[in-house]
Amino acid sequence: MLRALLLELAKSSRLRRRITSHGVTRRMARRFVPGEELGAAIEAVRACNRAGMTASLDHLGENVVTREDAERARTAYTEALERVASDGVDSNVSLKLTHLGLDLGDEFCVEQLRIILRRAQELGNFVRVDMEGSAYTDRTLQMVKRARAETAAVGTVIQAYLYRSEEDIRELLAIGCRIRLVKGAYNEPSQIAFPRKKDVDANFIKLMKILLSSRIYHALATHDPKMIEAATRFSAEQNISRDKFEFQMLYGIRVDLQSQLVKQGYRVRVYIPFGRDWFPYFMRRLAERPANVLFFAKNLFRGAAPAA
Ligand SMILES: Cc1cc2nc3c(=O)[nH]c(=O)nc-3n(C[C@H](O)[C@H](O)[C@H](O)COP(=O)(O)OP(=O)(O)OC[C@H]3O[C@@H](n4cnc5c(N)ncnc54)[C@H](O)[C@@H]3O)c2cc1C
């Protein structure tokens, strides 16, 4: 219930204005977003690299409504790729197609994606296309398939909570596409997604086994020790070595688990978001864990108290 409410509130532009203009919430968002500028994100990448991990930079933004905003997002991504190369840090990028103008038309959006992919390929880097709400699943997969026909520098994300995901995985594997497996972060109806967590978890494990058995380099993006344990056990049983896949986690979440996996010799990539448009991302992180909401509410109250 709370999860669904928070995910609905994530769409409110009024709440967005209130939360993002509040000093206390801006400071709290730092737990999940290291900064609004690329420089701050690059510093976070450096810290991850020093700790033996790679990164994926996400320039925050989604559902843009003008071509100018989509083009600005595209430029932010080519700049991020160039900065990664010139600073010699180890990071790829993750992006959302609605940030590149998917709501403005497929052809316009695919052209923005192509420009980013061309630059990534020239620089020997890689672009992950995030998966958004189910209204975009078909179009995202179609665009990724089109892009994958032109370059191997692109991969995408599959959400274990959707019933359709096994079929989508089979189609993507047939074209050699690299996949990041996640549980899924949006509010989806039971007609298309498993409503119960235990069924999502079971599907994650089932899909993880398909991915690891494919011998293509995939990513398992989760902070759930049960999912991680299932993957490490399965890979050991199948003699899949630790450099043939990677775990991914979000910046600021289960840092202890990240370093534990590195110590055990697993590959770990940290997803590092940056930019001003952090509100929907922040709300999704609150929705994932009720304790975050309590922590947020307490700090908001404490931070607001002196001014009252
Ligand atoms: C690298 C990465 C990329 C992602 N990309 C996408 C995407 O493209 N599309 C999409 O729909 N979803 C994406 N997600 C989000 C994902 O779908 C889940 O919502 C999120 O990872 C929480 O699920 P979980 O697997 O960690 O398991 P859960 O069962 O939700 O959590 C397991 C444990 O992890 C910890 N934890 C999880 N979330 C939080 C949090 N917010 N704050 C503090 N602790 C937490 C808690 O200890 C919790 O008990 C991504 C996640 C990661 C890690």
Side-chain angles (χ1 to χ4, degrees):
M1 282 275 284
L2 180 62
R3 178 177 181 272
L5 175 68
L6 288 163
L7 292 175
E8 272 314 299
L9 288 175
K11 296 175 191 159
S12 159
S13 46
R14 214 162 131 225
L15 189 65
R16 176 192 298 237
R17 274 195 301 279
R18 289 190 71 137
I19 298 252
T20 54
S21 59
H22 202 298
V24 177
T25 45
R26 287 170 77 102
R27 277 197 298 284
M28 286 186 60
R30 287 288 169 273
R31 177 181 164 197
F32 301 121
V33 180
E36 295 191 350
E37 306 304 325
L38 176 59
I42 293 285
E43 279 318 304
V45 173
R46 260 191 236 289
C48 285
N49 290 171
R50 277 197 299 271
M53 299 179 284
T54 55
S56 190
L57 282 168
D58 165 36
H59 181 239
L60 291 164
E62 46 203 87
N63 293 106
V64 299
V65 292
T66 68
R67 286 183 170 228
E68 291 70 26
D69 281 344
E71 284 160 1
R72 255 193 292 279
R74 180 200 76 207
T75 307
Y77 272 106
T78 51
E79 280 173 6
L81 286 162
E82 280 153 18
R83 184 74 183 271
V84 163
S86 63
D87 283 21
V89 291
D90 193 343
S91 180
N92 60 30
V93 298
S94 291
L95 55 79
K96 290 183 173 46
L97 289 183
T98 67
H99 196 193
L100 294 185
L102 188 56
D103 292 331
L104 302 166
D106 289 12
E107 291 315 309
F108 172 74
C109 180
V110 87
E111 198 39 48
Q112 309 312 307
L113 178 63
R114 261 200 199 109
I115 295 169
I116 298 170
L117 289 177
R118 230 176 275 138
R119 199 69 191 112
Q121 194 167 13
E122 284 160 7
L123 295 166
N125 210 328
F126 179 79
V127 176
R128 178 81 60 181
V129 177
D130 286 346
M131 191 56 76
E132 303 180 65
S134 57
Y136 298 106
T137 312
D138 276 325
R139 289 165 72 201
T140 301
L141 291 173
Q142 273 162 23
M143 275 195 202
V144 168
K145 286 176 192 164
R146 276 173 75 177
R148 184 61 184 73
E150 295 168 19
T151 174
V154 67
T156 192
V157 178
I158 289 290
Q159 297 154 324
Y161 63 18
L162 294 183
Y163 303 139
R164 59 179 287 169
S165 287
E166 182 173 349
E167 207 177 314
D168 290 335
I169 281 185
R170 304 243 180 240
E171 287 179 15
L172 290 168
L173 291 182
I175 57 166
C177 189
R178 285 168 57 180
I179 294 169
R180 171 203 294 153
L181 180 64
V182 300
K183 289 190 187 178
Y186 297 82
N187 197 19
E188 302 294 0
S190 58
Q191 289 84 351
I192 61 165
F194 295 104
R196 290 186 311 176
K197 182 174 159 43
K198 89 176 195 348
D199 296 324
V200 178
D201 290 357
N203 202 38
F204 187 101
I205 293 175
K206 180 180 180 193
L207 301 179
M208 170 274 287
K209 291 180 178 173
I210 298 173
L211 292 183
L212 293 190
S213 305
S214 74
R215 309 284 160 150
I216 297 170
Y217 189 89
H218 298 297
L220 306 171
T222 179
H223 316 89
D224 187 342
K226 288 198 297 299
M227 302 300 107
I228 293 170
E229 153 54 21
T232 55
R233 198 172 342 108
F234 181 74
S235 60
E237 282 163 10
Q238 302 294 314
N239 285 322
I240 299 164
S241 69
R242 293 174 190 200
D243 59 351
K244 294 289 185 266
F245 65 99
E246 66 186 32
F247 289 108
Q248 295 187 354
M249 294 191 207
L250 301 175
Y251 176 86
I253 299 181
R254 294 301 313 259
V255 178
D256 56 331
L257 201 49
Q258 295 170 15
S259 51
Q260 192 184 313
L261 286 167
V262 171
K263 280 193 199 117
Q264 291 168 1
Y266 290 100
R267 292 185 169 197
V268 179
R269 186 178 298 276
V270 180
Y271 186 99
I272 300 181
F274 70 100
R276 297 210 173 97
D277 196 6
W278 47 263
F279 174 71
Y281 180 87
F282 178 65
M283 293 298 280
R284 287 196 289 276
R285 302 298 74 85
L286 291 188
E288 278 156 4
R289 195 162 175 255
N292 286 347
V293 184
L294 207 64
F295 176 77
F296 173 69
K298 268 196 217 148
N299 279 274
L300 195 60
F301 180 70
R302 267 195 220 121

